Amino acid sequence: MSEEYRSMWKDLGLDLEAHDALLAALGQGYKDVFMTQENRPKGMEYFDFVVSQVHGLRVKELLDEKAAGRKVIGSFCVFVPEEIVRAADATLVGLCTGADFATEEVEKYLPRNTCALIKSAFGFKLGKVCPYIESADMIVGENTCDGKKKSYETLGKLVPNLYVMDLPQVKTAGGRELLRTEYLRFKTAVEDLTGVKIDAARLKKGIEIVNNKRKAIHRLAKLRKADPAAISGLDALLINQVFFYDDPVRFTNSVNRICDELEARIAKSEGVFPKGAPRVLLSGCPMAVPNWKLPWIIETSGAVIVGEESCVGERGTRNLTEPKGETVDDLMDAIVERHFKVDCAIFTPNPDRIAHVKEMAGDYKADGVIHYSLQFCQPYIMESIPVEKELESARIPTLRIETDYGSEDAGQLKTRIQAFIEMIGSK
Amino acid sequence: MKGWVIGIDVGSLTTDAVIMDEDKRVLSFSIVDTGYNSTDAAREAMTVAAGRAGLELEDVSRLVATGYGRAAVPEANKRVTEIACHAAGAVYLFPDTEMVIDIGGQDSKVIKVGKDGRVQDFVMNDKCAAGTGRFLEVMSAKLKIPLDGMGDISISARGEAAISSVCTVFAESEVVSLVARNCPKEEIVKGIHRSVVNRVWAMTRQLRVSGGVTMTGGVAKNRGVVALMEERVGRRINVPDEPQIVGALGAALFALREK
């Protein structure tokens, strides 16, 4: 596929040689991790195709949209409301943050002990290998953790179009007000960028499109309660990752299609793991493409992942925006309300998240929880201890893992995870 | 003879095999260097152990592999983590065991274990040589004291050097400056042992166990480390005659359990 897109990548200013190397590694990783799974649902073919075209056809589609006068907005966080972007006929895409790239170059700009996700975002920019960041008309940074917040000061000098959104850190009336002010400011910025005046009808349409996408993911999540599991955790994670890249309407249809297939499988008690296989809930930091290390180790050790309490997963998708009200103000309030519920670890205190992890463990009948923190991700590492304490007092075995995108700890992780699975499997 | 099994533990430094009969009696064992080829090392360990028991390797009824290189033993009927194997092996040797401290060549683990030998909880160090046999190896090379002589040297120490860093690289520089200041060898070694013990002690505290403690893994042979660990946990610690083969022993028990 590479050949037909080379001129497109060149025009975007990508470093073709480095980009070839990246695609080769991604392709090989995908083959090893995903294509070796047995009895995958047929509906996964669509998502395999999307990943195979993630830097190809999908980027071409975005460039075609741009040529037709529409805009592309890149983001790093689920707090950037897609409803508003859609209302202006623009497209929101998640930017690349899931692999180490150009690390030496990155460490000229960021301290070494910065989390892998932030370093990765810089690596893709500095290494000139992310077609999304290069196609974006606007890049939205957001003041979540200190690492991201401060790194945007530096990123702002590397890209011409960074927009920084402030975010509350407390769930008080004042916090809600800040979010509202910032979402209104963002709406104006999107209007200025696109030249589209966002009215109530447009907002309603935007809410509907994004809600449908979330509803499809809710349906998929529910089907993961089945034993035997009809879909692997890796494949379900992949769908949650594609959520951030694909055309929303096409994505929604594809998720619903695979859900039909899964329902048929469940009716026949057909699964990708044997009935009674140990069930694991993943909780913690987001996993962006191609960060599949931990789920791959878990599922090749005989356990099935039944849910992700993560921004790339249920934390990011679980609530709908209530489409109530007829005015722009009402609808903006609904969008604020919806996003204000996201229980990201940047909030203090953040009891909702712990309650949600516990609730998910029960709902998905997890035998244990694996808490994943990226090294140097202070908010989630800090929360991992109270999460573990709370779960263990509820007699839910918990394993805390701290790792990064490198593979040098894979052997140790395998031992810890396999021992954890042996432990929860023998109970 | 029929129904005998092998447990094999392919570790980062040594590969150990234990042969056991149906009545859970150990018939023989072997310890060989892992070297650069885990599969060959496993085969050698098994051949040596079988030879010692006067058995033919092909008559084995079941084989369970554990350890870092457990995937590199193609003959294995099953693979179990060393965490589960050390737990099972320690309880077999010392039925009062409630906590296993396994300090191995490249990682250390503290395991809370039930009376049935099953793992209830565990902690393992990550991505760091502190509190592992590797830390001792680096220091032994630096001080030019053989690894198996370190225990006796530290027991004879009158004082103790303070080594404040848990990082192997920084601790090594501390040792260099202690040597430069003519600090007695014994005191440096004792300080090194204290550093390992403190690190592992912090791990044991996460599990809160009041019962018997058993130490396994190569470092359990170091009397100096064991003595300091006993001081820290405030009670006597069970140390097997052959602490290195506890993983393989556990693997053999797993082989019998699922015959």
Side-chain angles (χ1 to χ4, degrees):
Chain A
M1 72 144 196
S2 315
E3 284 317 308
E4 49 185 306
Y5 296 117
R6 290 191 87 78
S7 61
M8 171 178 87
W9 294 328
K10 207 168 168 212
D11 293 344
L12 284 171
L14 298 194
D15 175 341
L16 289 186
E17 211 174 302
H19 187 249
D20 283 348
L22 175 75
L23 285 193
L26 182 71
Q28 189 57 45
Y30 195 79
K31 227 169 96 189
D32 294 346
V33 173
F34 286 90
M35 305 316 280
T36 50
Q37 301 180 96
E38 278 168 32
N39 195 21
R40 295 173 80 210
K42 196 145 174 35
M44 282 312 295
E45 282 173 12
Y46 172 75
F47 299 95
D48 292 340
F49 176 72
V50 172
V51 174
S52 75
Q53 291 295 331
V54 74
H55 281 199
L57 183 61
R58 183 62 191 136
V59 175
K60 170 142 196 328
E61 287 179 344
L62 293 180
L63 294 179
D64 290 346
E65 287 179 18
K66 279 163 67 98
R70 297 174 55 183
K71 300 291 179 191
V72 173
I73 298 179
S75 125
F76 297 106
C77 179
V78 299
F79 273 109
V80 178
E82 190 174 0
E83 292 91 332
I84 295 175
V85 175
R86 272 285 132 192
D89 289 332
T91 298
L92 188 71
V93 288
L95 296 173
C96 310
T97 55
D100 292 329
F101 208 86
T103 306
E104 266 178 48
E105 194 58 27
V106 172
E107 286 175 359
K108 292 181 191 161
Y109 294 86
L110 298 174
R112 191 168 300 162
N113 58 352
T114 307
C115 87
L117 188 142
I118 298 174
K119 276 187 178 173
S120 170
F122 274 66
F124 277 85
K125 173 66 206 166
L126 293 166
K128 300 192 195 123
V129 289
C130 174
Y132 292 96
I133 202 164
E134 305 305 334
S135 328
D137 297 293
M138 180 200 257
I139 296 165
V140 186
E142 77 306 317
N143 292 343
T144 42
C145 64
D146 286 351
K148 277 177 135 189
K149 185 159 67 187
K150 296 304 286 183
S151 74
Y152 292 135
E153 294 172 18
T154 307
L155 187 67
K157 297 190 179 89
L158 299 173
V159 298
N161 49 1
L162 182 71
Y163 172 97
V164 178
M165 177 184 280
D166 197 18
L167 287 179
Q169 316 256 300
V170 285
K171 296 215 167 165
T172 58
R176 183 186 278 103
E177 200 41 46
L178 171 61
L179 193 64
R180 195 182 139 76
T181 308
E182 282 297 300
Y183 278 8
L184 288 171
R185 187 170 71 90
F186 180 62
K187 178 174 143 296
T188 309
V190 172
E191 287 175 332
D192 290 346
L193 177 76
T194 57
V196 173
K197 179 87 194 129
I198 298 175
D199 58 19
R202 283 182 162 276
L203 263 185
K204 266 198 164 163
K205 185 73 195 154
I207 291 171
E208 190 194 328
I209 291 172
V210 182
N211 270 351
N212 283 344
K213 184 158 107 156
R214 293 181 186 129
K215 279 183 201 161
I217 287 286
H218 298 171
R219 189 177 162 207
L220 172 69
K222 233 170 153 181
L223 295 173
R224 293 172 73 188
K225 293 177 183 175
D227 181 22
I231 183 168
S232 70
L234 272 165
D235 281 338
L237 170 66
L238 187 80
I239 295 173
N240 276 284
Q241 290 174 330
V242 168
F243 183 96
F244 292 87
Y245 295 93
D246 200 11
D247 172 77
V249 177
R250 187 172 59 198
F251 174 83
T252 304
N253 293 337
S254 306
V255 176
N256 278 319
R257 204 158 35 237
I258 200 170
C259 286
D260 294 341
E261 185 187 350
L262 298 181
E263 276 169 4
R265 279 190 163 197
I266 293 166
K268 288 185 286 183
S269 283
E270 203 184 308
V272 288
F273 281 81
K275 191 176 164 62
R279 300 165 69 85
V280 167
L281 176 73
L282 261 183
S283 169
C285 290
M287 289 178 177
V289 172
N291 177 17
W292 303 306
K293 176 170 76 172
L294 202 56
W296 177 73
I297 293 176
I298 295 169
E299 294 208 320
T300 49
S301 299
V304 56
I305 299 166
V306 292
E308 299 79 27
E309 190 280 318
S310 158
C311 290
V312 182
E314 201 159 311
R315 188 188 315 126
T317 55
R318 71 169 162 148
N319 295 306
L320 296 178
T321 299
E322 288 282 337
K324 59 178 183 205
E326 293 306 322
T327 65
V328 168
D329 267 357
D330 290 345
L331 294 166
M332 285 299 292
D333 276 344
I335 294 172
V336 170
E337 225 30 66
R338 189 265 163 200
H339 288 82
F340 198 54
K341 284 190 205 138
V342 174
D343 42 18
C344 169
I346 58 150
F347 282 93
T348 180
N350 191 28
D352 292 356
R353 176 166 171 247
I354 299 186
H356 184 222
V357 180
K358 221 159 119 182
E359 182 191 309
M360 280 185 79
D363 282 355
Y364 296 95
K365 299 188 218 68
D367 299 304
V369 174
I370 295 184
H371 191 282
Y372 157 71
S373 307
L374 265 182
Q375 213 172 11
F376 311 123
C377 172
Q378 223 175 28
Y380 282 94
I381 295 172
M382 284 272 184
E383 278 195 4
S384 70
I385 298 172
V387 166
E388 180 185 45
K389 287 216 160 90
E390 179 72 21
L391 289 171
E392 298 214 314
S393 73
R395 301 197 158 277
I396 303 165
T398 307
L399 178 69
R400 276 193 284 138
I401 299 281
E402 212 180 298
T403 183
D404 55 23
Y405 296 164
S407 57
E408 70 271 17
D409 62 347
Q412 284 205 2
L413 284 179
K414 220 173 256 180
T415 298
R416 292 176 68 180
I417 287 166
Q418 287 179 359
F420 183 71
I421 293 169
E422 286 167 353
M423 190 177 94
I424 62 175
S426 69
K427 271 182 187 162
Chain B
M1 199 187 65
K2 277 186 186 156
W4 56 277
V5 297
I6 299 185
I8 183 138
D9 180 356
V10 185
S12 60
L13 291 173
T14 65
T15 294
D16 325 309
V18 166
I19 292 183
M20 204 178 241
D21 70 11
E22 279 173 306
D23 302 319
K24 295 191 184 173
R25 278 186 304 236
V26 174
L27 303 180
S28 69
F29 68 88
S30 64
I31 301 173
V32 306
D33 285 338
T34 300
Y36 55 84
N37 187 321
S38 309
T39 308
D40 289 351
R43 219 155 274 159
E44 189 196 339
M46 290 190 288
T47 310
V48 172
R52 284 180 188 160
L55 296 165
E56 292 297 327
L57 207 47
E58 52 266 33
D59 297 338
V60 64
S61 63
R62 221 174 131 78
L63 169 61
V64 169
T66 186
Y68 208 65
R70 61 189 174 281
V73 185
E75 302 91 338
N77 298 101
K78 189 183 162 92
R79 295 177 178 87
V80 183
T81 63
E82 55 268 38
I83 294 175
C85 287
H86 277 270
V91 169
Y92 166 87
L93 293 171
F94 303 100
D96 72 324
T97 305
E98 287 184 20
M99 175 158 73
V100 182
I101 300 176
D102 165 33
I103 310 183
Q106 65 173 11
D107 53 40
S108 42
K109 308 163 189 95
V110 179
I111 309 159
K112 182 178 174 184
V113 55
K115 290 224 175 310
D116 54 0
R118 285 186 202 270
V119 177
Q120 292 181 339
D121 203 353
F122 66 92
V123 204
M124 186 170 157
N125 72 331
D126 16 15
K127 266 196 172 183
C128 175
T132 73
R134 181 76 199 140
F135 184 84
L136 294 177
E137 249 185 83
V138 169
M139 299 309 163
S140 128
K142 177 100 276 170
L143 293 169
K144 302 201 169 44
I145 300 171
L147 203 50
D148 55 13
M150 286 177 82
D152 290 341
I153 288 182
S154 84
I155 281 181
S156 69
R158 273 196 236 143
E160 181 182 330
I163 297 190
S164 52
S165 178
V166 291
C167 169
T168 308
V169 178
F170 292 142
E172 197 179 349
S173 341
E174 280 188 64
V175 167
V176 171
S177 51
L178 287 167
V179 170
R181 291 206 308 262
N182 283 329
C183 177
K185 220 178 206 182
E186 313 81 65
E187 299 189 4
I188 301 178
V189 175
K190 192 170 179 186
I192 289 166
H193 289 164
R194 176 79 66 191
S195 162
V196 172
V197 166
N198 283 350
R199 177 78 182 184
V200 177
W201 162 246
M203 287 163 60
T204 67
R205 289 177 37 150
Q206 291 181 43
L207 295 183
R208 291 181 298 267
V209 176
S210 52
V213 179
T214 300
M215 253 178 92
T216 64
V219 177
K221 283 186 176 168
N222 181 321
R223 291 200 299 142
V225 171
V226 174
L228 290 176
M229 190 61 88
E230 287 182 325
E231 200 183 299
R232 261 334 309 234
V233 299
R235 52 193 183 276
R236 244 190 55 75
I237 289 177
N238 304 316
V239 180
D241 295 335
E242 294 292 340
Q244 266 169 295
I245 65 161
V246 177
L249 188 65
L253 289 165
F254 272 100
L256 282 178
R257 198 181 290 176
E258 282 157 59
K259 233 169 58 177

